[in-house]
Amino acid sequence: MIKICFQKKLLLVYLLLFVSSSVLHSQNIVGSWRGVLKIQNVELRIVFNISEKDSVFSAIMDSPDQGVKGIPIQTTTFTDGVSLRIVHPPIMMEYKGVYMGDKIIGTFSQSGMSVPLTLISSPEEGPKRPQEPNEPYPYSQEEVLFINKTDSIVLSGTFTYPKDSKAHTAVILISGSGPQDRNAEIMEHKYFLVIADILTRNGIAVLRYDERGIGKSGGNFLTATTLDFARDAKYAADYLMSREDVKRVGLIGHSEGGSVAPLVASESGDISFIILMAGPGVSGRDIILAQQELIALASGVPKEEVKRSVEINSLILSKITDDKDSGLIEKELYDLYKNKIGTEISDSEIKRQIAQVTSPWMRFFLNHNPSDVLKKVKCPVLAINGTKDLQVPYKTNLEAIYEALTGEKRQDNKPVTRYNNIVTVVEFEGLNHLFQSCDTGLPAEYRKIEQTINPEVLKTIIDWINGL
């Protein structure tokens, strides 16, 4: 999944709160403290897990609505058993609160903005996930290994298949951006586990695997690009084709996985079909800017502020092109931050952001145009998206995918299914980037929604595969 955060002043400034620890006195501050930041239309939960050893405090921070857990805290002071202060100067963050036994009443500040934040000491029940399956499963499950022979990497996955002796259609699940294990867990939704379970119960075998460098798979995730992930998927397909219980292989890619699948299919005659779930049809540069604008507006950020931020980010991203070496790009971006953007952030923070937007993965993502690859795909394609997807906006991307595959433009904006030889495009009204029924489409909603994926989406996928 393509995961880009919007913040008020600059692109890709993630909420990372690192706090250091020094302590004067302790009472019952030890424990789990949670609260909700309310900023315009966005609610963001923050959890501080505070512990104490030898009169020295340490803590771990979670940001559940961003899918972030276990951030080690650096500095916490608790004075006279009353005053809690958590500070991280590099990102201009401070939390000051008064301990009152069962709660801490305080203020959270960052980058000149302050909002009330009350923390309470109480355990939080995990979210309900009614679609998540429980063992025993009514199908066979096998732990498998396959080798990316080009990069000499062993990848580990789970293969589920019906309990009979037939050869079945099999699909490979390809996850979106960010480090993903075989279940593609995000916001406590085991996304690929749910998809694999439903497909296998309906007679379709499924391979899902840990991305390189994640879980039980070898390799290095941090240095990989979309092209590397495509090679991994290609060798996953080779592995399935070597099995006697597999008669044909298809690829299902979600988000960035929707870029990986066409890369594999355009080069391999062994791929029988591909399914693009919220897959991109335009460049990453265009997706980031559209995503930033839509998420900001849905979060209640004023239009003028959104416009200004998009202009700044467009200027930043325009410097990151294929025809420049890294050193030149970094120099141009540093000059841009210091002389034109005019933000009050430290040199270390500028360099961190520059490193983020100039990583190998990001450079490829920004400059890759999926339409160029889609034009080479000859197998059947199902492209689907939700009308409330704010991360890969449905209209622009589905239209680009359709035109690249068929050479024709879609004629209207209504939710329709179109058939043109091998191409099916489906828009799902009211679904977000994860294909959940939702209210706003904001990423902050993902965890709060009990539904992992809308059943109608799964039915559409199953019916389409069986109809080929």
Side-chain angles (χ1 to χ4, degrees):
M1 175 176 51
I2 302 171
K3 297 184 278 291
I4 305 297
C5 294
F6 170 83
Q7 203 178 55
K8 190 172 183 181
K9 293 187 176 180
L10 289 174
L11 175 71
L12 300 170
V13 181
Y14 293 87
L15 178 63
L16 297 176
L17 310 180
F18 298 98
V19 192
S20 55
S21 86
S22 66
V23 59
L24 299 177
H25 185 64
S26 96
Q27 292 291 337
N28 294 323
I29 197 75
V30 171
S32 182
W33 296 89
R34 63 191 72 251
V36 179
L37 286 174
K38 296 181 180 180
I39 306 171
Q40 293 167 327
N41 291 340
V42 175
E43 293 187 356
L44 192 67
R45 286 172 298 159
I46 300 295
V47 182
F48 293 107
N49 301 296
I50 301 174
S51 58
E52 182 266 339
K53 183 178 181 180
D54 298 330
S55 298
V56 176
F57 287 102
S58 61
I60 297 294
M61 194 206 80
D62 302 334
S63 180
D65 296 317
Q66 292 183 307
V68 177
K69 289 186 176 181
I71 298 174
I73 289 177
Q74 294 177 346
T75 302
T76 304
T77 61
F78 185 50
T79 308
D80 297 329
V82 175
S83 299
L84 176 68
R85 187 168 183 255
I86 296 171
V87 185
H88 186 55
I91 60 170
M92 297 178 284
M93 185 282 296
E94 179 180 43
Y95 177 73
K96 295 173 67 176
V98 176
Y99 171 69
M100 301 182 70
D102 62 344
K103 61 186 174 182
I104 301 170
I105 298 177
T107 301
F108 179 93
S109 303
Q110 187 177 31
S111 301
M113 176 182 62
S114 296
V115 293
L117 177 60
T118 297
L119 303 174
I120 61 172
S121 178
S122 63
E124 182 179 41
E125 293 185 4
K128 295 180 180 179
R129 297 289 180 255
Q131 291 175 292
E132 192 170 309
N134 295 308
E135 297 188 62
Y137 304 132
Y139 47 79
S140 298
Q141 178 170 287
E142 182 181 337
E143 295 296 299
V144 301
L145 299 173
F146 60 94
I147 302 174
N148 176 330
K149 297 178 181 178
T150 302
D151 299 330
S152 300
I153 294 173
V154 178
L155 295 120
S156 177
T158 300
F159 185 58
T160 54
Y161 53 98
K163 287 183 174 181
D164 56 39
S165 57
K166 299 178 182 179
H168 294 274
T169 295
V171 298
I172 299 167
L173 302 183
I174 308 171
S175 59
S177 61
Q180 302 283 333
D181 66 10
R182 66 192 68 191
N183 291 330
E185 185 168 352
I186 178 172
M187 304 296 184
E188 300 182 52
H189 287 280
K190 294 181 179 179
Y191 200 63
F192 278 2
L193 173 62
V194 171
I195 293 175
D197 176 71
I198 297 300
L199 265 58
T200 309
R201 289 173 188 266
N202 283 272
I204 300 167
V206 180
L207 172 62
R208 64 189 197 275
Y209 58 92
D210 300 330
E211 290 186 322
R212 56 167 65 195
I214 306 302
K216 297 179 181 179
S217 289
N220 188 340
F221 178 86
L222 295 177
T223 60
T225 70
T226 306
L227 290 175
D228 297 313
F229 300 135
R231 283 198 300 278
D232 294 341
K234 182 263 184 191
Y235 283 105
D238 288 350
Y239 164 74
L240 287 185
M241 290 303 298
S242 72
R243 294 183 61 113
E244 293 184 356
D245 54 357
V246 172
K247 64 180 180 181
R248 62 175 179 170
V249 175
L251 307 177
I252 300 179
H254 178 252
S255 199
E256 184 194 3
S259 282
V260 171
L263 283 166
V264 179
S266 66
E267 300 291 336
S268 174
D270 292 332
I271 304 302
S272 296
F273 59 87
I274 61 175
I275 297 175
L276 312 181
M277 300 179 66
V282 299
S283 73
R285 194 184 317 273
D286 292 336
I287 287 176
I288 284 179
L289 294 174
Q291 176 187 104
Q292 177 200 359
E293 181 177 10
L294 290 173
I295 291 176
L297 290 172
S299 300
V301 179
K303 289 183 179 180
E304 287 303 312
E305 189 173 314
V306 173
K307 180 180 178 182
R308 170 61 179 160
S309 185
V310 170
E311 289 173 352
I312 290 172
N313 291 326
S314 180
L315 187 59
I316 291 171
L317 298 182
S318 70
K319 303 295 183 183
I320 308 169
T321 59
D322 283 335
D323 59 348
K324 298 177 187 175
D325 63 45
S326 297
L328 178 58
I329 292 174
E330 290 170 8
K331 180 182 183 303
E332 289 183 355
L333 287 176
Y334 184 82
D335 291 342
L336 186 62
Y337 276 94
K338 295 294 286 187
N339 301 321
K340 292 187 179 180
I341 295 178
T343 55
E344 297 178 0
I345 56 176
S346 65
D347 271 15
S348 61
E349 178 61 18
I350 290 175
K351 290 177 182 178
R352 187 190 70 81
Q353 291 195 36
I354 289 174
Q356 205 168 48
V357 298
T358 58
S359 69
W361 180 88
M362 182 62 78
R363 286 193 66 174
F364 181 88
F365 173 70
L366 291 174
N367 294 290
H368 176 60
N369 188 344
S371 292
D372 295 336
V373 178
L374 288 165
K375 291 175 182 178
K376 302 175 185 178
V377 173
K378 303 302 180 185
C379 66
V381 179
L382 170 63
I384 62 178
N385 207 337
T387 61
K388 288 190 176 181
D389 188 339
L390 303 183
Q391 292 189 251
V392 181
Y394 81 99
K395 183 176 182 296
T396 300
N397 287 280
L398 286 181
E399 287 182 352
I401 290 170
Y402 185 84
E403 185 172 356
L405 290 168
T406 67
E408 302 174 2
K409 289 185 178 293
R410 299 182 71 195
Q411 298 302 311
D412 55 55
N413 299 326
K414 297 179 181 179
V416 295
T417 304
R418 293 192 180 281
Y419 298 86
N420 183 30
N421 297 326
I422 59 172
V423 180
T424 308
V425 175
V426 184
E427 300 169 5
F428 290 93
E429 190 67 33
L431 303 191
N432 62 19
H433 187 62
L434 298 186
F435 294 88
Q436 299 169 308
S437 301
C438 65
D439 293 326
T440 67
L442 285 166
E445 268 189 328
Y446 298 165
R447 184 182 185 276
K448 300 174 185 177
I449 300 171
E450 292 185 2
Q451 182 183 78
T452 296
I453 182 170
N454 186 285
E456 187 60 32
V457 175
L458 295 169
K459 182 179 185 302
T460 297
I461 290 172
I462 293 166
D463 289 348
W464 186 83
I465 291 173
N466 290 335
L468 292 175

